[in-house]
Amino acid sequence: MEKTNQTLLYAFEGFEKDLSEELSLGKARILEQQGRLFVVENLLARPVWAQACGYNAVRATPKSITESVKVLRDLGGKWACASQTRHRRSQLIQEQAYRPRPPQEIEFLGEVPTARWGLWALLDDQTLIASAETDSIFPLGEVRIKESEAPPSRAYMKLWELFTLHGIKPPPKSRTIDLGSSPGGWTWVLAEMGCQVLAVDKAPLAPHVAKNPLVKSLKKDAFKLVPTETGPIDWLFSDLICYPPKLFDLVGVWREAGVKNFVCTLKFQGRSDFESMARFLEIPGSWIVHLCANRHEVTWVCLEKGKN
Ligand SMILES: C[S@@+](CC[C@H](N)C(=O)[O-])C[C@H]1O[C@@H](n2cnc3c(N)ncnc32)[C@H](O)[C@@H]1O
């Protein structure tokens, strides 16, 4: 077994090119790529487009399935297989090293497991690569939160994931604004958490969300709304469909008006807009995450108290 300082990355499905570009921009060296699996060196920051990330990978050249199983068992812990090749052999190793169990779902705002899932893969018949030092509390970083049928859109899953797994939560009674709120998934989550919500969209909210006494809706173009019309806002949420530079300007208006906490989706068309991501990250207290519930978009968070 050889210890390395290589990192194993498992890209979000369909975003391999985005991860590859992100790594190049960050000057990381890609030693190998097989489908969603990347082996890299000189990684300076955790890539947004990686669903799972395993540091200080170990390489081994086991001669048999039994030897491969022994490598993983000796390293200890729970293992998830990221092999993009040698599928049958990988499956046999996985079953003997750590038998996959039915995926465990956590409740919204429920207790979050702390144990990490190791990441391993066969790169070819001879080479096994594995890292126990991952940031995955779910196998391969695939988030599983129990869903609800109450919200009117699946967009609510973005906030559920963010609030449950990233320790971010507007306290009850916070004055929030939800830009691009229709049909009301985010507004529903915020109101369920006891926040006051001003829901702004050109389209209506689902009636069962609109009738919540904590929700006020404003049928308006979010770019024409001026902060003096709304009264003080503690948290601004935006899931607006617009180009990131336009959203950046809009965020600037609300920052100038004194808003200090933001959760905004940056939506991309075609290539991911790394330039805009970098501009957003320059705002103090900011970070960006690609949630499992995000498709070709990322979530920018900016908190008055900074990152947890
Ligand atoms: C992805 S949907 C939002 C889904 C919502 N977060 C939810 O949880 O149900 C984007 C919304 O942005 C709204 N939108 C786009 N441009 C807008 C604008 N200029 N002003 C207000 N709303 C806008 C659309 O009408 C659409 O409802």
Side-chain angles (χ1 to χ4, degrees), residues 153 155-156 180-186 200-203 220-223 239-241 267:
S153 71
Y156 81 98
S181 54
S182 171
W186 285 27
V200 182
D201 204 300
K202 290 186 272 190
K220 186 157 184 157
D221 182 338
F223 293 92
D239 200 19
L240 281 167
I241 297 171
K267 301 185 185 248

Short mmCIF file of all heavy atoms in Angstrom, two decimals, residues 153 155-156 180-186 200-203 220-223 239-241 267, ligand 1:
data_model
loop_
_atom_site.label_atom_id
_atom_site.label_comp_id
_atom_site.label_asym_id
_atom_site.label_seq_id
_atom_site.Cartn_x
_atom_site.Cartn_y
_atom_site.Cartn_z
N SER A 153 -43.37 22.77 -5.11
CA SER A 153 -42.35 22.51 -6.14
C SER A 153 -41.19 21.79 -5.48
O SER A 153 -41.02 21.86 -4.26
CB SER A 153 -41.84 23.83 -6.75
OG SER A 153 -41.05 24.52 -5.79
N ALA A 155 -38.18 22.61 -5.70
CA ALA A 155 -37.11 23.56 -5.35
C ALA A 155 -36.90 23.62 -3.83
O ALA A 155 -35.81 23.98 -3.37
CB ALA A 155 -37.44 24.95 -5.89
N TYR A 156 -37.92 23.24 -3.05
CA TYR A 156 -37.78 23.29 -1.59
C TYR A 156 -36.61 22.44 -1.12
O TYR A 156 -36.01 22.69 -0.07
CB TYR A 156 -39.08 22.82 -0.90
CG TYR A 156 -39.23 21.32 -0.83
CD1 TYR A 156 -38.89 20.61 0.31
CD2 TYR A 156 -39.68 20.60 -1.93
CE1 TYR A 156 -39.00 19.23 0.37
CE2 TYR A 156 -39.79 19.22 -1.88
CZ TYR A 156 -39.45 18.54 -0.74
OH TYR A 156 -39.55 17.17 -0.68
N GLY A 180 -38.34 35.61 -6.76
CA GLY A 180 -38.58 34.50 -7.70
C GLY A 180 -39.19 33.34 -6.95
O GLY A 180 -38.68 32.23 -6.97
N SER A 181 -40.28 33.62 -6.23
CA SER A 181 -40.80 32.68 -5.23
C SER A 181 -41.80 31.66 -5.77
O SER A 181 -42.04 30.65 -5.12
CB SER A 181 -41.49 33.48 -4.12
OG SER A 181 -42.45 34.34 -4.70
N SER A 182 -42.39 31.93 -6.93
CA SER A 182 -43.46 31.06 -7.43
C SER A 182 -42.91 29.70 -7.91
O SER A 182 -41.82 29.66 -8.48
CB SER A 182 -44.16 31.77 -8.59
OG SER A 182 -45.05 30.91 -9.23
N PRO A 183 -43.58 28.60 -7.68
CA PRO A 183 -44.91 28.46 -7.03
C PRO A 183 -44.87 28.45 -5.50
O PRO A 183 -45.90 28.40 -4.87
CB PRO A 183 -45.40 27.12 -7.57
CG PRO A 183 -44.15 26.33 -7.81
CD PRO A 183 -43.11 27.32 -8.27
N GLY A 184 -43.67 28.47 -4.90
CA GLY A 184 -43.69 28.68 -3.46
C GLY A 184 -42.96 27.65 -2.60
O GLY A 184 -43.15 27.63 -1.38
N GLY A 185 -42.10 26.84 -3.20
CA GLY A 185 -41.36 25.84 -2.40
C GLY A 185 -40.51 26.48 -1.31
O GLY A 185 -40.56 26.09 -0.15
N TRP A 186 -39.73 27.50 -1.68
CA TRP A 186 -38.85 28.16 -0.70
C TRP A 186 -39.69 28.92 0.33
O TRP A 186 -39.42 28.86 1.53
CB TRP A 186 -37.88 29.12 -1.39
CG TRP A 186 -36.75 28.45 -2.12
CD1 TRP A 186 -36.76 27.20 -2.64
CD2 TRP A 186 -35.46 29.00 -2.37
NE1 TRP A 186 -35.54 26.94 -3.23
CE2 TRP A 186 -34.73 28.02 -3.08
CE3 TRP A 186 -34.84 30.22 -2.11
CZ2 TRP A 186 -33.41 28.23 -3.50
CZ3 TRP A 186 -33.53 30.43 -2.53
CH2 TRP A 186 -32.82 29.44 -3.22
N VAL A 200 -41.85 37.43 -3.68
CA VAL A 200 -41.93 38.33 -4.84
C VAL A 200 -41.78 37.52 -6.13
O VAL A 200 -40.78 36.80 -6.31
CB VAL A 200 -40.80 39.40 -4.78
CG1 VAL A 200 -40.91 40.36 -5.96
CG2 VAL A 200 -40.83 40.14 -3.45
N ASP A 201 -42.75 37.65 -7.00
CA ASP A 201 -42.67 36.96 -8.30
C ASP A 201 -43.71 37.60 -9.22
O ASP A 201 -44.67 38.21 -8.75
CB ASP A 201 -42.96 35.45 -8.14
CG ASP A 201 -42.34 34.62 -9.25
OD1 ASP A 201 -42.68 34.86 -10.44
OD2 ASP A 201 -41.51 33.75 -8.96
N LYS A 202 -43.46 37.40 -10.52
CA LYS A 202 -44.47 37.87 -11.48
C LYS A 202 -45.60 36.85 -11.57
O LYS A 202 -46.70 37.16 -11.99
CB LYS A 202 -43.82 38.07 -12.86
CG LYS A 202 -42.86 39.26 -12.86
CD LYS A 202 -42.32 39.57 -14.23
CE LYS A 202 -41.07 38.77 -14.50
NZ LYS A 202 -40.35 39.18 -15.72
N ALA A 203 -45.29 35.62 -11.16
CA ALA A 203 -46.28 34.53 -11.19
C ALA A 203 -46.79 34.30 -9.76
O ALA A 203 -46.12 34.64 -8.79
CB ALA A 203 -45.62 33.27 -11.73
N LYS A 220 -44.65 41.19 -8.71
CA LYS A 220 -43.83 42.29 -9.22
C LYS A 220 -42.55 41.75 -9.84
O LYS A 220 -42.07 40.67 -9.46
CB LYS A 220 -43.48 43.21 -8.04
CG LYS A 220 -42.77 44.45 -8.44
CD LYS A 220 -42.93 45.56 -7.41
CE LYS A 220 -42.24 46.79 -7.98
NZ LYS A 220 -42.68 48.02 -7.46
N ASP A 221 -41.97 42.54 -10.74
CA ASP A 221 -40.64 42.23 -11.28
C ASP A 221 -39.62 42.50 -10.17
O ASP A 221 -39.50 43.63 -9.68
CB ASP A 221 -40.38 43.13 -12.50
CG ASP A 221 -39.04 42.85 -13.15
OD1 ASP A 221 -38.14 42.30 -12.48
OD2 ASP A 221 -38.88 43.20 -14.33
N ALA A 222 -38.87 41.47 -9.78
CA ALA A 222 -37.93 41.60 -8.65
C ALA A 222 -36.86 42.65 -8.93
O ALA A 222 -36.31 43.23 -7.99
CB ALA A 222 -37.27 40.25 -8.39
N PHE A 223 -36.58 42.90 -10.20
CA PHE A 223 -35.53 43.88 -10.53
C PHE A 223 -36.05 45.31 -10.46
O PHE A 223 -35.29 46.26 -10.53
CB PHE A 223 -34.94 43.57 -11.92
CG PHE A 223 -34.18 42.27 -11.92
CD1 PHE A 223 -34.82 41.08 -12.27
CD2 PHE A 223 -32.85 42.22 -11.53
CE1 PHE A 223 -34.15 39.88 -12.24
CE2 PHE A 223 -32.16 41.02 -11.50
CZ PHE A 223 -32.81 39.85 -11.85
N ASP A 239 -34.16 32.65 -5.94
CA ASP A 239 -34.08 31.50 -6.85
C ASP A 239 -34.50 31.98 -8.24
O ASP A 239 -34.98 31.21 -9.07
CB ASP A 239 -35.02 30.40 -6.33
CG ASP A 239 -34.67 29.01 -6.88
OD1 ASP A 239 -33.54 28.81 -7.35
OD2 ASP A 239 -35.56 28.12 -6.83
N LEU A 240 -34.31 33.30 -8.46
CA LEU A 240 -34.70 33.94 -9.73
C LEU A 240 -33.96 33.30 -10.90
O LEU A 240 -32.77 32.98 -10.78
CB LEU A 240 -34.28 35.41 -9.71
CG LEU A 240 -35.13 36.41 -8.96
CD1 LEU A 240 -34.36 37.72 -8.81
CD2 LEU A 240 -36.45 36.64 -9.70
N ILE A 241 -34.64 33.19 -12.02
CA ILE A 241 -33.96 32.74 -13.23
C ILE A 241 -33.41 33.99 -13.91
O ILE A 241 -34.18 34.82 -14.41
CB ILE A 241 -34.93 32.00 -14.16
CG1 ILE A 241 -35.44 30.74 -13.46
CG2 ILE A 241 -34.26 31.64 -15.49
CD1 ILE A 241 -36.56 30.05 -14.17
N LYS A 267 -27.63 30.62 -11.55
CA LYS A 267 -28.03 29.65 -12.60
C LYS A 267 -27.19 29.87 -13.84
O LYS A 267 -26.96 31.01 -14.24
CB LYS A 267 -29.52 29.83 -12.91
CG LYS A 267 -30.36 29.62 -11.65
CD LYS A 267 -31.83 29.64 -11.89
CE LYS A 267 -32.57 29.54 -10.57
NZ LYS A 267 -33.29 28.31 -10.39
C1 LIG B 1 -36.96 28.35 -10.34
S1 LIG B 1 -38.39 29.28 -10.16
C2 LIG B 1 -38.44 29.52 -8.44
C3 LIG B 1 -38.96 28.34 -7.68
C4 LIG B 1 -39.19 28.70 -6.23
N1 LIG B 1 -37.95 29.00 -5.52
C5 LIG B 1 -39.90 27.60 -5.48
O1 LIG B 1 -39.34 27.12 -4.48
O2 LIG B 1 -40.99 27.22 -5.86
C6 LIG B 1 -37.91 30.84 -10.73
C7 LIG B 1 -38.96 31.90 -10.58
O3 LIG B 1 -38.37 33.16 -10.92
C8 LIG B 1 -39.40 33.97 -11.41
N2 LIG B 1 -38.83 35.13 -12.08
C9 LIG B 1 -37.98 35.16 -13.12
N3 LIG B 1 -37.67 36.45 -13.43
C10 LIG B 1 -38.33 37.23 -12.53
C11 LIG B 1 -38.39 38.61 -12.29
N4 LIG B 1 -37.73 39.48 -13.06
N5 LIG B 1 -39.14 39.06 -11.26
C12 LIG B 1 -39.83 38.21 -10.48
N6 LIG B 1 -39.81 36.88 -10.65
C13 LIG B 1 -39.08 36.38 -11.66
C14 LIG B 1 -40.19 33.05 -12.31
O4 LIG B 1 -41.51 33.57 -12.50
C15 LIG B 1 -40.16 31.74 -11.53
O5 LIG B 1 -41.32 31.61 -10.77
#
